[in-house]
Amino acid sequence: MLVSAEEMLKKAKAGHYAVGQFNINNLEWTKSILLTAQEMKSPVILGVSEGAGKYMCGFKTVAAMVSAMVDSLGITVPVALHLDHGTYDGAKACIEAGFSSIMFDGSSLPIEENVEKTKELVAICKEKGLSLEAEVGSIGGEEDGVVGAGECADPEECERVANLGVTMLAAGIGNIHGKYPDNWPGLSFETLDAIQQKTGDMPLVLHGGTGIPDDMIKKAIDLGVSKINVNTECQWAFQKATREYIMAGKDLEGKGFDPRKLLAPGAEAIKETVREKIKLFGSDGKA
Ligand code: 13P
């Protein structure tokens, strides 16, 4: 059964660790992440961007696939199916489709409009028992067509949005989706600290988990981050392992062309990446 992310994130905040959100793209991705979370006895959040949802034939298909897979694989750790960087319409569609958790990204809107729409979605999600993530201050870089400038969030605005009754809050602190540039100055812990002081028990979300050095991840968790999103790193791991398989000519040997063989090294590589992240975030054994 899919669950809201509320309880797992409350526990993470109180226990000073973070739950990983790993984005999914297809069946292999989903299976690798679910099996690894189960193996590590860790709660997990499966992220679905609107682009990935479209690619997988719509949110209804995704919800049906994930629910069935949790059941068929005998997954017993808490699993939340979460819309990543949703629009207002996307959020409504995912609520309808059976997602257990929603992110409404109103960070590109004027703050009053972000507050208004977030408030509306808080009421709907509360009624249905779903968790809701809001965003203040945009995450830099591009993810599935969502482009952000990467400015740090204003702690006062964070307090305002946190007080609307959301479950978790994504706040820009200099984090970027995708590859960090060589001259990246690092996360702004000063901003994170100020936000944490204004938002108290609210679980904070760190997007752009790919490429953030381990010591910064640990410090961010110490300062109140309870959910960390990872997407690109699984894609790189899959791409590298698939490339190696083909470059070694394994697809040409025997039945190496069979998709179950061809996609297996990539699927294993995703598992290894998820394993490392779960350990680093400290959520292993917490399910
Ligand atoms: P990365 O692709 O940089 O890991 O970011 C993932 C993310 O933040 C999803 O919302």
Side-chain angles (χ1 to χ4, degrees):
M1 204 188 75
L2 300 174
V3 298
S4 138
E6 182 162 355
E7 202 185 316
M8 63 172 92
L9 293 179
K10 266 193 187 152
K11 281 190 189 161
K13 180 93 185 189
H16 304 286
Y17 60 91
V19 178
Q21 172 192 306
F22 302 98
N23 285 50
I24 59 171
N25 290 289
N26 58 20
L27 182 142
E28 279 73 20
W29 242 262
T30 313
K31 184 175 168 187
S32 293
I33 296 164
L34 286 177
L35 287 174
T36 309
Q38 181 71 22
E39 170 199 312
M40 307 283 287
K41 299 191 171 41
S42 169
V44 73
I45 298 170
L46 301 179
V48 181
S49 66
E50 294 200 359
K54 220 182 254 174
Y55 174 78
M56 288 185 273
C57 307
F59 298 130
K60 279 188 185 161
T61 309
V62 177
M65 174 182 77
V66 173
S67 301
M69 211 186 275
V70 165
D71 186 47
S72 305
L73 294 175
I75 303 295
T76 55
V77 297
V79 178
L81 177 59
H82 183 73
L83 171 64
D84 191 25
H85 292 287
T87 57
Y88 182 77
D89 291 342
K92 289 229 164 139
C94 284
I95 293 168
E96 180 82 9
F99 276 48
S100 63
S101 189
I102 302 293
M103 175 184 188
F104 168 60
D105 180 357
S107 63
S108 61
L109 304 170
I111 184 71
E112 292 308 327
E113 197 179 340
N114 187 359
V115 165
E116 229 21 72
K117 293 214 158 84
T118 301
K119 223 197 277 180
E120 259 184 63
L121 289 166
V122 164
I124 302 173
C125 288
K126 276 216 182 334
E127 195 200 315
K128 298 199 179 275
L130 312 179
S131 39
L132 180 69
E133 175 177 344
E135 178 169 329
V136 179
S138 77
I139 315 299
E142 186 261 344
E143 185 178 67
D144 251 342
V146 180
V147 180
E151 71 269 15
C152 281
D154 170 359
E156 307 278 339
E157 288 184 1
C158 289
E159 183 181 20
R160 207 174 148 201
V161 173
N163 285 340
L164 298 174
V166 299
T167 319
M168 55 198 130
L169 181 70
I173 54 166
N175 39 337
I176 297 171
H177 287 130
K179 191 178 183 321
Y180 282 86
D182 293 337
N183 61 354
W184 179 55
L187 295 174
S188 170
F189 291 113
E190 207 186 344
T191 308
L192 179 56
D193 193 31
I195 294 168
Q196 148 84 1
Q197 285 185 30
K198 291 271 181 202
T199 57
D201 289 341
M202 173 65 48
L204 300 174
V205 182
L206 181 63
H207 282 247
T210 295
I212 298 179
D214 291 3
D215 58 332
M216 283 194 205
I217 291 277
K218 288 193 171 139
K219 192 162 176 194
I221 294 172
D222 281 346
L223 288 171
V225 163
S226 322
K227 171 175 177 276
I228 303 176
N229 292 7
V230 177
N231 184 10
T232 308
E233 214 161 315
C234 288
Q235 299 186 0
W236 286 339
F238 181 86
Q239 172 252 334
K240 183 169 178 282
T242 308
R243 164 172 272 270
E244 280 168 8
Y245 180 87
I246 302 224
M247 293 307 277
K250 294 198 176 146
D251 56 321
L252 301 173
E253 289 168 12
K255 280 230 171 198
F257 57 85
D258 179 334
R260 283 174 259 166
K261 291 204 166 75
L262 183 65
L263 299 177
E268 285 306 313
I270 292 172
K271 284 186 189 166
E272 194 45 41
T273 303
V274 173
R275 228 172 255 131
E276 280 167 17
K277 296 296 170 194
I278 285 178
K279 262 205 195 121
L280 174 64
F281 301 165
S283 68
D284 48 320
K286 301 294 196 314

